[in-house]
Amino acid sequence: MKRHLLEAADLDRDDATLVLDTAKEIESALAGREVKKLPTLRGRTVVNLFFEDSTRTRISFELAAKRLSADVINFSAKGSSVSKGESLKDTALTLEAMGSDAIVVRHSASGAPHRLAHWVRGSVVNAGDGTHEHPTQALLDAYTIRQRLGRLEGVRVTIVGDVLHSRVARSNVRLLHTLGAEVTLVAPPTLLPVGVESWPVTVGYDLDAALPKADVVMMLRVQAERMNASFFPSAREYSRRYGLDAVRMAALADEAIVMHPGPMNRGMEIAAEVADSVRSTIVEQVGNGVSVRMAVLYLLLGGAPQ
Amino acid sequence: MAGSSSAAPSNSEARSPAAPGALLSATDVARVVDRMAHQLIEKCARGGGEGDNTADLSHLVLVGIPTRGAPLARRLAARVEAFSGTPVDVGTVDITLYRDDLRMRGVRALEPTVLPAAGIDGRLVVLVDDVLFSGRSVRAALDALRDLGRPRAVQLAVLVDRGHRELPIRADYVGKNVPTSRSQSVKVRLAEIDGADEVLVTEGEAT
């Protein structure tokens, strides 16, 4: 495995499978235990460097690092020297000088983790950069699919919604393709990125036509904060055409599952009754996130430095 | 000069008393496992403590250390059951996440940790491994057990004890003591994993 995890393409099929298998072993090793802690990364320091708010991802990484006995430093840009004008590079070098072994970085600029990886000796894990990638989210989604359906090879995954702004979608497309799944994107044409025709996916615009063929429906959040242009006429219209409600859910195959990376806009892209149904894996995804991130931290930091 | 060169082969043999080749054959391995099973039953007949004469195997749990300790534990359990008529609980405990040399080696894939449904609390846990060397694996296994429960006692069974301990750890059941040099390596091959039973001592870097 590479030293950093910056994007889904850093993982070939063997690496990705190793992460998923490792996460499975870690999960079963800790299941039903009173002491949910392993001494594996004792003495290592993991910095959560968050330039963008994300409580759930930060807590997930923090818990993963703590369960492996690493020391965790949470660094949020708000109220730090960054707000006084310090650059990303200087922040990174400061953290490195303080002895961090890994930096988990969330940044609003696409590519920030790549830059960071050039400046530091430790490992860098991308926890979401701009509209680019969010590889650990894709890993936990793949883990959840494998857990529910028992396989990834040949699984038909339909990703619905704002693909243009979605790093979750980008990472998922690449990782799921690597692992042998067939991905279909369904979105309004305005919310598909330029160059999507070169992605290893099928593109469609009609959700009702796509649903009966899907094993997995992954609903993306409508990112209100990024809706700075007229991507669709109104929230109501979006919801009618691309929202997943109980009627649409009934069109799914018996075994099919519904995923959402969270946080959800209930009633917008996903109806409450769908989010709370037995098909929904939304809560499992959160739990699996910790196991997958433990696996990533172990695989990046557990071994000898190369 | 000529004499010294002709004496070279016997010299090298004298340096490594366990000559290259099979140290234990498949038959030897089976015999050794049988003997260890008998020893386990005898020790348990004393209850593992003073003044206790009841043969109580219900407290016994054989816990293998992957990779090759796991099938060894299953074999031992099968032999104990064959000799005593009582089934014995078996488990495995992966120690990778507890190793203190993770920083020195590459990362490795994890193996399952499986414990019997009744757990290990208050029971006699016998750790089973193929080769006892530095003792660091056993220490890691002890750390892992501490997180999994509180056994009444923990003992250690190994197929081969090759010496060179780096920690104050001693096996309770030893299949074969093999004095080795650090430059040698001891390889245990088992049918379940390697297709055949065999113990080899070879010259090469220590493992």
Side-chain angles (χ1 to χ4, degrees):
Chain A
M1 211 159 125
K2 295 185 177 175
R3 184 156 57 96
H4 308 293
L5 179 57
L6 302 175
E7 52 186 39
D10 285 340
L11 301 166
D12 60 22
R13 196 175 184 136
D14 288 348
D15 286 340
T17 308
L18 176 65
V19 174
L20 301 185
D21 290 345
T22 304
K24 183 159 172 269
E25 296 301 347
I26 286 177
E27 183 181 296
S28 63
L30 290 180
R33 267 204 200 184
E34 266 177 48
V35 187
K36 288 199 188 295
K37 198 152 175 131
L38 296 160
T40 318
L41 297 183
R42 213 151 44 91
R44 301 281 178 119
T45 304
V46 176
V47 177
N48 287 325
L49 180 57
F50 277 57
F51 290 90
E52 212 182 50
D53 293 334
S54 171
T55 310
R56 75 174 62 208
T57 304
R58 184 186 51 73
I59 290 178
S60 183
F61 270 108
E62 182 173 351
L63 197 54
K66 283 185 171 166
R67 287 199 172 159
L68 289 170
S69 300
D71 296 322
V72 183
I73 295 169
N74 286 312
F75 182 102
S76 100
K78 263 184 206 154
S80 75
S81 295
V82 173
S83 55
K84 299 176 192 164
E86 189 179 59
S87 70
L88 175 64
K89 181 172 183 176
D90 288 327
T91 305
L93 294 180
T94 305
L95 293 172
E96 172 134 316
M98 289 178 180
S100 73
D101 296 293
I103 298 179
V104 176
V105 60
R106 157 72 62 104
H107 203 288
S108 56
S110 305
H114 279 88
R115 300 294 302 153
L116 199 61
H118 290 294
W119 296 323
V120 298
R121 281 191 303 274
S123 295
V124 174
V125 181
N126 182 358
D129 59 334
T131 58
H132 178 228
E133 286 238 20
H134 193 358
T136 56
Q137 176 73 41
L139 282 165
L140 78 89
D141 288 340
Y143 183 83
T144 307
I145 295 171
R146 197 173 77 164
Q147 195 177 49
R148 275 281 188 118
L149 303 180
R151 70 202 159 93
L152 283 159
E153 181 76 48
V155 169
R156 291 165 301 180
V157 183
T158 300
I159 301 179
V160 186
D162 182 3
V163 178
L164 176 64
H165 296 113
S166 177
R167 50 198 175 206
V168 174
R170 256 175 206 77
S171 290
N172 261 303
V173 165
R174 296 180 95 161
L175 185 74
L176 288 170
H177 175 69
T178 303
L179 289 167
E182 296 164 22
V183 184
T184 304
L185 301 177
V186 176
T190 47
L191 287 174
L192 284 168
V194 174
V196 73
E197 56 279 357
S198 67
W199 293 15
V201 295
T202 317
V203 177
Y205 306 104
D206 183 355
L207 182 55
D208 290 307
L211 288 179
K213 289 178 278 185
D215 300 311
V216 177
V217 182
M218 192 180 290
M219 303 305 296
L220 300 173
R221 184 168 68 92
V222 175
Q223 305 181 48
E225 69 274 20
R226 292 200 167 99
M227 292 302 151
N228 47 7
S230 307
F231 291 111
F232 47 80
S234 70
R236 194 175 139 76
E237 168 146 356
Y238 179 88
S239 189
R240 248 203 353 246
R241 295 200 55 187
Y242 294 101
L244 189 61
D245 57 14
V247 178
R248 284 213 167 99
M249 185 168 73
L252 287 169
D254 291 343
E255 297 286 293
I257 57 172
V258 175
M259 307 182 78
H260 192 297
M264 291 179 275
N265 300 307
R266 283 179 184 248
M268 177 75 177
E269 71 268 3
I270 190 166
E273 62 226 281
V274 178
D276 300 331
S277 76
V278 289
R279 287 181 187 279
S280 155
T281 63
I282 297 164
V283 178
E284 286 155 61
Q285 284 170 269
V286 176
N288 291 341
V290 178
S291 309
V292 163
R293 288 173 179 127
M294 285 177 79
V296 168
L297 289 175
Y298 162 64
L299 292 170
L300 290 180
L301 291 181
Q306 284 147 11
Chain B
M1 298 290 260
S4 72
S5 72
S6 72
S10 64
N11 269 350
S12 76
E13 272 205 27
R15 255 187 278 122
S16 57
L23 177 75
L24 296 177
S25 67
T27 332
D28 297 333
V29 171
R31 196 181 306 123
V32 163
V33 170
D34 281 358
R35 175 164 52 74
M36 291 170 75
H38 280 298
Q39 286 174 341
L40 268 165
I41 296 167
E42 269 177 43
K43 271 226 181 178
C44 289
R46 292 198 296 273
E50 300 295 316
D52 185 353
N53 287 315
T54 52
D56 187 1
L57 294 172
S58 66
H59 282 106
L60 183 63
V61 188
L62 295 174
V63 175
I65 300 174
T67 309
R68 287 173 183 74
L72 267 179
R74 286 193 292 273
R75 284 195 201 183
L76 265 175
R79 300 314 286 160
V80 169
E81 181 172 352
F83 298 140
S84 68
T86 318
V88 180
D89 277 347
V90 192
T92 57
V93 58
D94 184 59
I95 59 164
T96 311
L97 296 168
Y98 290 87
R99 295 194 73 100
D100 61 2
D101 58 357
L102 279 173
R103 280 168 191 241
M104 287 170 262
R105 294 162 176 244
V107 290
R108 44 169 87 195
L110 306 186
E111 308 234 8
T113 291
V114 184
L115 290 181
I120 57 170
D121 285 342
R123 306 179 76 180
L124 171 63
V125 170
V126 177
L127 287 169
V128 183
D129 205 356
D130 55 350
V131 179
L132 179 57
F133 185 21
S134 64
R136 286 174 193 267
S137 299
V138 175
R139 198 260 295 270
L142 290 171
D143 284 348
L145 284 183
R146 192 186 55 181
D147 282 354
L148 295 168
R150 189 183 179 284
R152 189 190 69 206
V154 182
Q155 296 178 346
L156 175 62
V158 295
L159 190 64
V160 175
D161 182 348
R162 63 166 295 190
H164 303 289
R165 215 75 78 240
E166 292 165 10
L167 294 168
I169 281 169
R170 167 188 73 77
D172 301 89
Y173 313 93
V174 179
K176 189 165 178 68
N177 279 297
V178 186
T180 56
S181 77
R182 276 190 170 272
S183 67
Q184 290 174 317
S185 76
V186 176
K187 256 227 143 32
V188 171
R189 303 178 71 228
L190 294 175
E192 292 90 332
I193 296 165
D194 312 290
D197 285 351
E198 204 173 20
V199 179
L200 302 164
V201 178
T202 51
E203 287 298 331
E205 80 280 23
T207 50

